[in-house]
Amino acid sequence: MAKSKTNMITHGYHGKVGDHFVLRVRGTSSMICSKPDRSNVVLTQNQKDQTRRFSGSVNYAKNAMNDPVKKAYYTALADKNVSAYNRAMADFLTKPWIDQIDAIDYAGHVGDKIRIIASDNVKVNSVNVSIRSSADVELETGACTFDSENMNWVYIATTLQNPIAGLKVVAIVRDLPGHVVEKSLTL
């Protein structure tokens, strides 16, 4: 294998060149290597799942670049090092997460507030709350509104629930690619 630290022709280049060899960069060294033979490689289930996720991200990014609204959104996030297409791929590969369900102000009355702190690497698209009985029967559900002052999502209860002990508050978060994440809190 040939190695070069100062070769101006191949410095910084990497990837396959035809079907003959591969250029690699490791640190400050450029290398010319034979093309790897992966004909006998058996992928694990995790590798197959990751390949499927990556293919999904490619499809999502292609569709996002054809959707004027999504393209504009991802283009606004792009910079000289990361394109809008790559931002869309990264968004697809990262699910949103729920940091906290805060039901300290919820006492089962109409107008009580439940706060949700949810995040995503790009954008949380929507947050819904479902209040369920201990038998998992849905008692009420609705959309949250974003409170930009406190940087959280707020749900305002619409029905009277008494008693509240044993009730379950379920937060459902969706991001721009459509991933859905749930987290629950038992009162």
Side-chain angles (χ1 to χ4, degrees), residues 67-153:
D67 179 331
V69 174
K70 287 183 180 176
K71 183 176 183 177
Y73 189 79
Y74 290 118
T75 300
L77 298 173
D79 57 35
K80 69 176 186 169
N81 296 319
V82 181
S83 67
Y85 181 88
N86 286 346
R87 290 280 184 203
M89 283 183 64
D91 192 20
F92 183 88
L93 290 170
T94 306
K95 292 181 180 181
W97 58 93
I98 301 169
D99 296 310
Q100 183 181 11
I101 300 173
D102 176 5
I104 196 77
D105 294 332
Y106 180 73
H109 303 111
V110 174
D112 286 353
K113 294 181 180 179
I114 297 172
R115 290 174 182 80
I116 310 298
I117 300 173
S119 303
D120 187 64
N121 66 325
V122 173
K123 177 185 177 185
V124 171
N125 209 35
S126 68
V127 177
N128 289 328
V129 165
S130 173
I131 299 176
R132 300 178 184 172
S133 70
S134 56
D136 208 33
V137 175
E138 188 170 82
L139 303 172
E140 76 174 272
T141 188
C144 296
T145 56
F146 186 69
D147 178 1
S148 58
E149 184 178 324
N150 295 310
M151 299 302 290
N152 59 28
W153 294 81

